[in-house]
């Protein structure tokens, strides 16, 4: 009779262990799903911000082009002045 009691204890312990493993596995899967969802949301947000930045950069570039078209002589003089300053700073 002891063999039967000991066999049922082992089976009960194995069943309890399997249930705990299943519970931990479920919790781990839930945590992974939450992390994956948060990462996906962050990446989508970063992509949208990148698109906004590209659009803003295009607007600034077009504004600079328009300014050069309106004032070509002043633009060249500014470019020459900046070039002279850079050359002075890099000589030493």
């Amino acid at each position: 009779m002891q063999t039967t009691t000991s066999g049922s204890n082992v089976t009960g312990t194995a069943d309890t262990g399997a249930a705990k493993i299943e519970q931990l596995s479920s919790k781990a899967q839930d945590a992974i799903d939450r992390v994956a969802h948060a990462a996906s949301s962050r990446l989508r947000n970063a992509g949208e911000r990148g698109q906004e930045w590209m659009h803003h950069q295009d607007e600034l570039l077009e504004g600079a082009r328009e300014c050069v078209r309106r004032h070509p002589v002043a633009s060249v003089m500014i470019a020459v002045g900046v070039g002279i300053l850079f050359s002075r700073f890099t000589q030493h």
Side-chain angles (χ1 to χ4, degrees):
M1 288 270 195
Q2 264 186 345
T3 308
T4 307
T5 305
S6 142
S8 66
N9 280 344
V10 169
T11 304
T13 303
D15 289 341
T16 302
K20 286 185 179 184
I21 289 173
E22 183 65 32
Q23 183 183 20
L24 289 173
S25 175
S26 176
K27 286 181 180 181
Q29 185 62 43
D30 290 343
I32 290 170
D33 289 343
R34 283 193 308 257
V35 168
H37 179 69
S40 174
S41 177
R42 297 280 183 178
L43 285 173
R44 188 173 33 260
N45 190 12
E48 290 170 0
R49 288 183 187 262
Q51 290 294 328
E52 289 173 8
W53 170 249
M54 293 289 285
H55 180 70
H56 185 66
Q57 183 180 4
D58 289 342
E59 288 177 353
L60 289 174
L61 185 60
E62 187 56 39
R65 286 180 181 153
E66 186 61 32
C67 183
V68 169
R69 284 185 198 117
R70 282 192 217 150
H71 311 288
V73 174
S75 298
V76 169
M77 298 306 286
I78 290 172
V80 168
V82 170
I84 291 171
L85 286 175
F86 277 136
S87 70
R88 297 252 172 140
F89 288 137
T90 58
Q91 279 180 354
H92 297 9

